Every structure is written in C-alpha cells, then in structure tokens.
Amino acid sequence: MAKEKRETRGRISGFKFLDLPYENAQVHYTCLSCQKDNYVDIGKELLSVEDAYQNANWVCKSCGFNHSSKSDLPFEHWNPDIIKATSLPTQRFWNAFFKNSLESAESYYKICGACGRTLPFSHFAKKSSSKGPLVRQFECRACKAAANAILNPFRTRDEMLKSATSRRTAQLFTDVLDEKIEIKKLFEKFDSKCFSCECDLDIDDRKSYQIDHILPNVYLWPLTESNAELLCRGCNLKKKHHWPSKFFKSNSKLYRLAQITGANLELLTSTKPLTNTDVDVNLAMDKYLGQIREQSDFPKRIQEFKKIIEGFDLIDKLSLENKQILGLEE
C-alpha cells in the first residue's frame, strides 16, 4: 500500500499559518556582554563545531557584540592578558562556547509555523518526511494539540486508528512475519493485470504498479504470498487502508481474490476490519522503545505504545515484566 501524502497546512478552521523559516534550525546563545538571549538561523544544514569556531560571527541584536573566535572576551573582571582573542584561554573558551550551542541535538531550536515562537527542538514531534535538518513537525506540540482538538471529532475510527498506528509502527509487529514476494510469480498469478480495474501492467515499469497488502498493514497484517495483490498505482492510491470488502464490494471479486492468492475468504468478506493478533507484542515493544535516541522522547514513546496495544486489545499478550514497565500491572 503506497504511503498517503497528507497536507494539513491551511485546512484547519481557525488556524492561520505564518510565513516563517520553520524548516530551518535555530541556535540559541546568551550574549556574553549584555546577557540577552539571541537566536541564530543556521538554515537547512547543521553547522559543525569546527566550522562555527573558524567562521561564525554571531552579533548580539541588543548590544552588537560579535561572538567570534576572533573577538576578545568582554569580561572586564578577568586578567587583560587572558581575555585577548589570541590567548589560549580565550580560544579554548570560544571552542567550548560554540560546542555548547551546536554539539548535541538538545542544543537546537526551531520556529513554530503556527504560533511563531522559537522553541527547543524537543517541543516538536518527529516527522520523517520533514525537509528540515531537525526532522521535526511544522507546528509545536502545543499547536498540534490545538489542531487535533479541531480535527479529531471529524475523524472516523479508521482514520484515528491509522493516525495512531503509522506504517512504521505497524511494521514493528509485522516485519518479522513479512515474506519476500517474487514479482514475476505475482504477475503470473494476476495475469499481468491490476486486480481492481484490470488494466494491463508492465513488469518492467516499476512505477506503474504496486504490491498491495490485501488485509491492510495498519491492522497488523504482514505482507505474505496470500496477502499480496497486484494493483495499478491509481487503484492502490484509492484503496489506501480500506478493508477488502469495503473497497471491492463485490462478493464474486472477493471470491476470485481468494482463489488467486489463497487468502482467507472469511476475512476478506468481513464487514468490519479485523486486527491480526498473531503478533509478538513483546518483540514490538523492545523495538519501539529500543529505537529511542533522545531521552526526552522516552515518556512520549511509552504512552504511544500503550495507546497502540490498548487500541488493538493486545495487552494480554505482553509479558508480566513488560506490563509492569508500562504500568499496566499492579
């Protein structure tokens, strides 16, 4: 199933998004001379500490002091020989100064495109499709919460489920169960035609066809020989995460699909989506929490995982130890 492209900017009632460089990384520092806070827009590529040490000229917007390795330190209470730019102590100072602002992910800031504030990067949720160097969402978590309060009442249960269980999350449960699909064999099964519209497909034109999960991945069904169908790109985009009976609607079509692939006809004809419970929840938890690189994300990830397994009614499949870790067992 192809990943659906979504655009939320400008379509939320009551929200006016600001024309700001929200993709860029911002660096914060406190002026050495006047103690005022400053933010430096460093663009769409992160600076190295060495590059900043050699070339940066961060001029305070309040007093005009230039924060550069070529500047004397503005500390009148220090020995005059120490604060000269050419002195070893001052050069060590400047190197540490730029390192504090640039070395770790927690040092960076970002502008929220919704409220316009410049905030620590941890105030923004991750977004793998982000164009910015910090790989963070357009709006801060607070603005995102406000937007969801408007959007959530209009979302169907399936849309909410899809939102809570992204493709990346679902794959935590299914990737160990996925099978390698032989493209040539799949084309032979479906007579080189899209199963939905029956248009001819060219095995050599990879952009024209998609290998679709018959039972959607968002309901934790892995990609296997019996759960793979051949669709043209257009039909795959229309099918999205719909259950087979909702998309095809014809019992004869579903029966034929079962004949071709060996898929379970009872599952295909179900009038409502069914979750695959034959998954290793403990392994999924290990992967989901084990991938966290930033300590600040840990509490959020725990809550996300709890919401996922509660939504799929998979709590009973957790080990006692993992239930205790998640606070699900007294």
Side-chain angles (χ1 to χ4, degrees):
M1 182 173 67
K3 186 175 181 179
E4 179 186 1
K5 183 178 180 180
R6 298 185 63 190
E7 179 62 60
T8 57
R9 287 187 61 195
R11 71 177 180 86
I12 306 173
S13 176
F15 274 71
K16 182 179 180 180
F17 295 104
L18 303 170
D19 186 17
L20 296 170
Y22 60 86
E23 291 179 352
N24 294 3
Q26 308 286 327
V27 173
H28 167 268
Y29 70 92
T30 301
C31 177
L32 300 179
S33 180
C34 69
Q35 308 298 311
K36 299 293 185 181
D37 287 332
N38 283 263
Y39 297 94
V40 180
D41 186 332
I42 60 174
K44 294 183 173 61
E45 292 186 13
L46 300 182
L47 283 175
S48 68
V49 174
E50 180 62 25
D51 187 29
Y53 175 71
Q54 295 291 340
N55 304 306
N57 290 283
W58 295 354
V59 179
C60 176
K61 294 179 180 178
S62 296
C63 70
F65 179 74
N66 184 18
H67 296 73
S68 163
S69 61
K70 300 174 182 61
S71 298
D72 295 344
L73 296 178
F75 303 148
E76 295 180 358
H77 57 292
W78 284 23
N79 186 306
D81 293 331
I82 293 177
I83 63 175
K84 291 181 179 179
T86 54
S87 73
L88 180 60
T90 293
Q91 289 302 301
R92 293 281 177 85
F93 179 95
W94 282 121
N95 187 68
F97 173 85
F98 290 116
K99 182 178 290 186
N100 286 339
S101 297
L102 298 166
E103 188 174 43
S104 67
E106 286 79 6
S107 302
Y108 291 98
Y109 283 65
K110 185 179 180 301
I111 294 176
C112 174
C115 67
R117 295 180 297 165
T118 302
L119 300 166
F121 96 125
S122 60
H123 285 223
F124 299 82
K126 285 184 178 179
K127 187 175 183 181
S128 59
S129 60
S130 171
K131 297 179 182 178
L134 299 181
V135 196
R136 298 281 153 165
Q137 287 192 332
F138 168 80
E139 62 273 84
C140 67
R141 295 183 193 275
C143 291
K144 187 69 173 179
N148 285 340
I150 297 171
L151 292 174
N152 284 349
F154 301 99
R155 288 173 174 161
T156 65
R157 178 185 177 279
D158 283 355
E159 287 174 331
M160 291 291 287
L161 184 60
K162 182 183 178 185
S163 176
T165 313
S166 65
R167 177 179 297 273
R168 178 175 62 84
T169 303
Q171 285 178 341
L172 292 172
F173 293 90
T174 62
D175 60 2
V176 295
L177 302 173
D178 285 345
E179 298 175 358
K180 185 177 180 180
I181 304 301
E182 296 182 29
I183 305 298
K184 185 177 180 181
K185 186 176 179 180
L186 188 67
F187 264 76
E188 290 173 353
K189 274 186 181 181
F190 288 90
D191 196 26
S192 298
K193 295 180 183 294
C194 169
F195 182 72
S196 179
C197 70
E198 300 185 1
C199 69
D200 292 327
L201 298 174
D202 182 357
I203 194 172
D204 295 321
D205 184 5
R206 186 61 186 88
K207 294 183 179 180
S208 68
Y209 66 88
Q210 299 284 343
I211 303 172
D212 177 61
H213 289 74
I214 299 171
L215 305 178
N217 180 248
V218 294
Y219 296 104
L220 310 187
W221 294 97
L223 186 66
T224 63
E225 285 193 9
S226 61
N227 195 41
E229 65 182 334
L230 188 63
L231 296 179
C232 69
R233 188 177 183 83
C235 287
N236 189 52
L237 289 172
K238 292 177 183 176
K239 183 174 182 287
K240 298 179 182 176
H241 60 289
H242 294 301
W243 198 254
S245 62
K246 295 294 184 181
F247 180 70
F248 294 116
K249 297 181 180 179
S250 165
N251 286 335
S252 61
K253 194 87 170 175
L254 295 172
Y255 179 57
R256 182 165 166 252
L257 184 59
Q259 285 182 313
I260 293 173
T261 63
N264 186 311
L265 185 59
E266 188 175 357
L267 288 175
L268 297 183
T269 56
S270 172
T271 57
K272 62 178 182 179
L274 300 173
T275 300
N276 176 28
T277 58
D278 189 20
V279 292
D280 190 332
V281 181
N282 295 295
L283 177 61
M285 177 174 164
D286 289 344
K287 290 192 291 183
Y288 198 66
L289 300 184
Q291 292 175 352
I292 303 174
R293 296 182 180 179
E294 300 151 20
Q295 190 172 1
S296 59
D297 282 347
F298 211 90
K300 180 175 180 289
R301 278 291 189 97
I302 291 174
Q303 293 305 314
E304 285 176 348
F305 191 77
K306 286 171 67 174
K307 187 178 294 186
I308 291 165
I309 61 173
E310 287 171 350
F312 284 122
D313 197 21
L314 294 172
I315 294 176
D316 289 343
K317 286 186 167 288
L318 280 170
S319 67
L320 178 59
E321 180 184 12
N322 280 339
K323 285 181 182 178
Q324 291 172 338
I325 290 174
L326 295 176
L328 297 172
E329 188 76 15
E330 297 266 335

